[in-house]
Amino acid sequence: MPSDNSTNQRLGRIAATLGVTDIHRSLQIYHAVFGLEKVFENGDPVGFMILKKDDAELHLSLQKTYKAPAFNQAHMLVADADAALKACERHGLRIIRHLQDKDYGLRAFVFADPDGNRIDVGQII
């Protein structure tokens, strides 16, 4: 595949945007489970929100009729996958793939948030 000068650019952040049916419920879950904090919101009522913690950034977009796809929408690296799994379970999140060590060097699991958005969580091992 031919490339052009744009491939020489330094890239900045790229953040996943998840559709949600209740933006405040999603904020509460992502804050309780992962400590993500709201750093930006837009609209009245709020229709868009940015959550952040450390190097992680997650965008939420209010979509009243949203239906999550049946594939992983984001991948998040954590320092402790076992602790992340326990936090997901404590907050009643559905576990799609249970925690296991993968041959590609991650200890990983997949959970679904209250809207069914699938997030792959991994710890480098």
Side-chain angles (χ1 to χ4, degrees):
M1 173 186 314
S3 66
D4 59 35
N5 289 338
S6 66
T7 60
N8 297 327
Q9 294 187 63
R10 184 186 176 285
L11 298 178
R13 82 174 195 309
I14 185 169
T17 299
L18 301 179
V20 298
T21 58
D22 182 332
I23 205 162
H24 297 290
R25 174 187 66 188
S26 295
L27 168 61
Q28 289 173 344
I29 285 292
Y30 283 102
H31 174 74
V33 175
F34 296 103
L36 289 157
E37 299 281 347
K38 176 178 61 173
V39 296
F40 178 81
E41 66 180 35
N42 189 24
D44 184 18
V46 176
F48 177 76
M49 191 178 287
I50 297 175
L51 310 181
K52 190 165 176 54
K53 180 181 180 201
D54 303 322
D55 291 333
E57 187 171 313
L58 180 63
H59 296 191
L60 304 176
S61 178
L62 181 63
Q63 305 293 317
K64 290 293 187 181
T65 60
Y66 179 72
K67 299 286 186 229
F71 56 85
N72 296 351
Q73 292 170 268
H75 181 265
M76 179 187 314
L77 287 177
V78 297
D80 186 340
D82 293 273
L85 174 63
K86 287 177 185 167
C88 287
E89 291 172 335
R90 263 194 319 276
H91 291 279
L93 298 176
R94 186 167 55 108
I95 305 306
I96 305 294
R97 290 203 183 108
H98 291 280
L99 186 66
Q100 54 183 228
D101 293 346
K102 305 292 188 174
D103 59 2
Y104 47 82
L106 291 179
R107 183 162 175 74
F109 69 96
V110 177
F111 76 91
D113 74 7
D115 286 292
N117 294 306
R118 295 177 180 209
I119 311 298
D120 183 10
V121 179
Q123 171 190 345
I124 297 171
I125 52 175

